[in-house]
Amino acid sequence: FAGLVNMETPPGVPDVHAQSDAFLNAYRSEQTITSTVTTWFVANGVCLAIILFFTQNITLSLFVMVTICFIFLCLLGLLFAVFTIPFGPVEAIGVSIFIGLSANYSLHVVHAYHRSPYSDRKHKIQYAVFITGSPIASSAISTIGGCAFLLACRTWLFVELGIMICCSTTMALLFSMCFLLALLTLVGPLPYELETDEERNGGNGLQAAHDGGHLLHQCDIKALFCTHDSKLRVKYVEANDDPDPVQ
């Protein structure tokens, strides 16, 4: 409309500009959503690089990222559908902050699974739960307990922050100890064995493929670039086999 009016105005008359708070609010909302989505992708990319650096395993890193995405979707459902909280600055800032909180528990679980001395999924899961279960649960309880006082604040900003932290911590605990463990039980990477010349000649020469005292697993970065002359193959151990660690 302003453009049509400017086309018909006589020379020397200043152009008409449409101004309204509605335009500014729409522009502000658009920029907030765009920057939030960009921040979410950047934070996920950085988080994936850090997880890959610590786990040294592509599959486990992807499992953690899938868990983080599910936690994020559940958190959005709780905030916008259950608590009916409108999208605001706290939610925009929390997108990047709570990714780190969500990845913390999952990273501990997959790291314990990866460093387990066992060679079958059942005992690797038991080892991961034994090592990380109690610390993760205690950490979640202390975090929720410390942030619960924010729910009684008179300032709505602090109440929003308390709701987001409590919900994010609860979802991270549930997904790490339920969904992620179930995923590892089904398709968790298994350690390799080294097929030696003795076995290829008919003997029993299998030995575990180690890397600095730890078992090499499927999709380990170092296993992908392994230069052994012998062949690496996956050892599948039945649940009722000897649970002793592979020496």
Side-chain angles (χ1 to χ4, degrees):
F1 174 78
L4 295 177
V5 172
N6 292 330
M7 292 176 59
E8 298 178 358
T9 54
V13 178
D15 293 338
V16 176
H17 297 282
Q19 295 183 354
S20 173
D21 291 339
F23 299 151
L24 295 177
N25 292 334
Y27 177 77
R28 189 182 298 111
S29 300
E30 181 182 357
Q31 292 300 316
T32 301
I33 295 175
T34 303
S35 60
T36 301
V37 173
T38 304
T39 302
W40 187 79
F41 280 105
V42 172
N44 274 279
V46 174
C47 186
L48 177 60
I50 295 174
I51 293 171
L52 188 60
F53 174 78
F54 282 103
T55 61
Q56 297 290 309
N57 187 281
I58 299 175
T59 302
L60 293 178
S61 300
L62 293 178
F63 285 175
V64 174
M65 294 309 300
V66 170
T67 305
I68 291 175
C69 291
F70 285 157
I71 294 173
F72 179 73
L73 292 177
C74 290
L75 182 62
L76 290 182
L78 286 174
L79 293 178
F80 300 143
V82 178
F83 296 106
T84 62
I85 298 177
F87 187 81
V90 176
E91 290 74 24
I93 297 174
V95 165
S96 58
I97 295 177
F98 295 122
I99 287 178
L101 294 177
S102 303
N104 186 26
Y105 300 154
S106 302
L107 179 58
H108 281 81
V109 171
V110 298
H111 187 268
Y113 176 91
H114 189 247
R115 294 300 182 181
S116 170
Y118 299 99
S119 56
D120 65 305
R121 292 192 181 102
K122 175 182 177 181
H123 294 99
K124 291 175 78 67
I125 292 296
Q126 291 177 350
Y127 179 86
V129 173
F130 178 77
I131 293 297
T132 64
S134 179
I136 286 178
S138 300
S139 175
I141 293 174
S142 62
T143 302
I144 295 174
C147 296
F149 295 97
L150 293 174
L151 303 178
C153 293
R154 296 182 178 181
T155 304
W156 175 246
L157 182 68
F158 296 130
V159 177
E160 279 186 305
L161 187 62
I163 292 175
M164 290 187 64
I165 294 178
C166 291
C167 291
S168 176
T169 304
T170 303
M171 291 294 103
L173 178 64
L174 292 178
F175 273 89
S176 298
M177 302 307 297
C178 297
F179 170 77
L180 184 57
L181 290 178
L183 187 62
L184 291 173
T185 303
L186 293 176
V187 291
L190 291 173
Y192 284 109
E193 277 191 340
L194 197 61
E195 185 181 17
T196 62
D197 295 334
E198 180 183 350
E199 194 205 31
R200 286 199 294 271
N201 295 329
N204 186 15
L206 280 178
Q207 58 181 355
H210 285 71
D211 172 36
H214 301 289
L215 298 178
L216 279 175
H217 289 67
Q218 295 169 297
C219 296
D220 274 356
I221 296 178
K222 292 185 178 181
L224 296 177
F225 299 97
C226 186
T227 58
H228 289 297
D229 294 332
S230 303
K231 296 179 180 179
L232 289 175
R233 73 180 189 180
V234 181
K235 178 183 180 183
Y236 294 92
V237 181
E238 298 294 337
N240 56 359
D241 283 353
D242 185 8
D244 291 336
V246 177
Q247 301 297 330

